[in-house]
């Protein structure tokens, strides 16, 4: 995935560094976890907590999307909040282990963990929720503005004269083949081991199930620039797009001759936007 946390913009290392610095500043000012009782080595100890935070955020941003790729493919606000909660638990565990190591095991680890969990959740969860909602609202506002601009471009688009083009022939995992004119192709949706191809025939929308992978379909359509990937399960012919709607996850495309809207995930918004413009 290009961006495991779609609700957070920017580079991942910036999030890691920013989170670690914020923790260092908060601990320096408020000095929880009995830090105010320290008379020496306070700054190195605080730097240790900052490092623990950086490691935990790195695990969440870099390792988790690799280990749980399917979970991260369709990102939602609920998943974002759950991940934030799990991150706080991870930070509490890391801080507990750090404290336990510094104290040379004077207290039992379960006791130390219980000491850290509640304050960490109490202090950290509300800011993370506020940031998540702020980012989601900002993405929604930006996508709505982009959708408005794209609709303006679509309204100015000159009608394209119909051309007689050579038909595209799809070949999949069987001896079966399917041919269609690129001008008549509307969109293609992945459905299990099959691809559901929607197209126009004599002015009516028809569909056919074709056994193939989305990669095979993409390779076949490489010579048709108007058909692009817009979602992990969709390819769409942008020549038939009549309007665009924006949401926090990306766009929805309305196509001529269709009532259904085609989703555009955040990963593909840039390429779709550039093509439509």
């Amino acid at each position: 995935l290009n961006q495991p946390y779609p609700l957070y913009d920017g580079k991942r290392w910036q999030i890691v560094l920013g989170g670690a610095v914020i923790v260092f500043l908060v601990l320096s000012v408020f000095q929880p976890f009995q830090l105010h009782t320290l008379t020496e080595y306070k700054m190195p100890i605080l730097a240790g907590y900052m490092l623990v935070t950086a490691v935990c955020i790195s695990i969440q941003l870099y390792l988790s999307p690799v280990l749980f790729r399917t979970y991260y493919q369709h990102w939602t606000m609920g998943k974002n909040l759950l991940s934030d909660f799990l991150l706080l638990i991870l930070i509490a565990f890391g801080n507990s282990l750090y404290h336990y190591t510094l104290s040379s095991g004077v207290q039992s680890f379960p006791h130390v963990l219980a000491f850290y969990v509640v304050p960490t959740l109490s202090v950290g969860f509300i800011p993370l929720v506020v940031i998540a909602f702020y980012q989601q609202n900002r993405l929604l506002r930006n996508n709505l503005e982009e959708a408005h601009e794209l609709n303006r471009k679509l309204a100015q688009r000159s009608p394209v004269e119909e051309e007689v083009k050579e038909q595209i022939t799809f070949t999949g995992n069987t001896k079966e083949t399917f041919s269609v004119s690129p001008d008549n192709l509307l969109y293609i949706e992945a459905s299990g081991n099959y691809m559901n191809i929607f197209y126009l025939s004599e002015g009516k929308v028809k569909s056919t199930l074709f056994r193939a992978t989305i990669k095979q379909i993409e390779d076949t359509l490489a010579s048709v620039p108007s058909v692009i990937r817009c979602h992990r399960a969709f390819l769409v012919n942008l020549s038939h797009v009549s309007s665009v709607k924006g949401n926090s996850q990306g766009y929805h495309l309305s196509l001529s001759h269709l009532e259904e809207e085609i989703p555009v995930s955040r990963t593909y918004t840039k390429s779709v936007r550039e093509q439509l413009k």
Side-chain angles (χ1 to χ4, degrees):
L1 295 177
N2 295 328
Q3 196 171 13
Y5 280 81
L7 294 183
Y8 293 115
D9 290 334
K11 297 179 180 179
R12 282 177 279 182
W13 69 265
Q14 293 175 335
I15 299 175
V16 173
L17 180 61
V21 170
I22 289 173
V23 166
F24 180 83
L25 294 175
V26 169
L27 293 180
S28 299
V29 173
F30 297 101
Q31 300 190 36
F33 311 129
Q34 299 180 349
L35 290 174
H36 63 281
T37 62
L38 296 177
T39 57
E40 56 182 355
Y41 305 118
K42 180 176 290 188
M43 285 297 109
I45 290 175
L46 290 177
Y49 282 111
M50 183 174 70
L51 179 61
V52 168
T53 300
V55 170
C56 292
I57 297 176
S58 297
I59 290 174
Q60 192 79 331
L61 289 178
Y62 289 96
L63 185 59
S64 294
V66 175
L67 296 178
F68 309 103
R69 181 171 294 272
T70 303
Y71 178 80
Y72 282 85
Q73 283 179 345
H74 180 62
W75 200 245
T76 63
M77 188 60 172
K79 287 183 178 181
N80 195 87
L81 294 176
L82 176 60
S83 293
D84 286 345
F85 177 77
L86 294 176
L87 174 60
L88 292 175
I89 294 294
L90 183 61
I91 292 175
F93 181 85
N95 285 337
S96 301
L97 189 61
Y98 177 59
H99 180 107
Y100 182 74
T101 303
L102 287 179
S103 63
S104 302
V106 174
Q107 295 176 311
S108 66
F109 182 74
H111 179 79
V112 175
L113 181 61
F115 176 74
Y116 275 91
V117 167
V118 175
T120 301
L121 292 177
S122 301
V123 173
F125 191 67
I126 292 179
L128 286 176
V129 170
V130 172
I131 291 172
F133 275 101
Y134 169 77
Q135 291 284 11
Q136 187 190 43
N137 288 333
R138 188 168 64 86
L139 286 173
L140 175 61
R141 183 174 64 253
N142 290 343
N143 288 339
L144 288 174
E145 291 175 355
E146 284 286 352
H148 177 75
E149 174 65 16
L150 291 175
N151 285 321
R152 189 177 68 84
K153 294 285 186 180
L154 287 173
Q156 296 173 350
R157 186 167 58 179
S158 300
V160 179
E161 294 182 4
E162 291 189 7
E163 301 178 13
V164 178
K165 297 181 181 178
E166 183 179 350
Q167 289 193 328
I168 294 290
T169 300
F170 298 104
T171 56
N173 299 328
T174 64
K175 295 181 180 180
E176 179 187 12
T177 62
F178 177 74
S179 298
V180 65
S181 168
D183 287 335
N184 290 330
L185 184 62
L186 294 172
Y187 74 96
I188 302 171
E189 180 181 6
S191 179
N193 296 324
Y194 289 85
M195 303 300 296
N196 204 358
I197 302 174
F198 292 81
Y199 61 99
L200 291 175
S201 178
E202 298 179 352
K204 295 182 180 180
V205 177
K206 295 186 178 181
S207 66
T208 183
L209 278 175
F210 187 76
R211 189 175 180 87
T213 65
I214 197 165
K215 181 63 168 59
Q216 290 173 318
I217 298 295
E218 276 189 296
D219 291 342
T220 302
L221 292 168
S223 61
V224 186
S226 62
V227 180
I228 67 172
R229 186 85 167 264
C230 64
H231 187 275
R232 63 187 177 89
F234 286 88
L235 292 104
V236 63
N237 189 345
L238 297 181
S239 298
H240 290 282
V241 173
S242 58
S243 65
V244 182
K245 295 180 180 178
N247 57 45
S248 60
Q249 295 297 314
Y251 305 125
H252 275 82
L253 306 177
S254 294
L255 274 62
S256 56
H257 306 284
L258 285 174
E259 293 183 0
E260 297 85 354
E261 293 181 342
I262 310 303
V264 179
S265 63
R266 182 171 167 79
T267 304
Y268 299 98
T269 53
K270 182 178 180 181
S271 59
V272 171
R273 182 170 62 243
E274 290 176 351
Q275 283 285 83
L276 286 176
K277 285 186 176 181

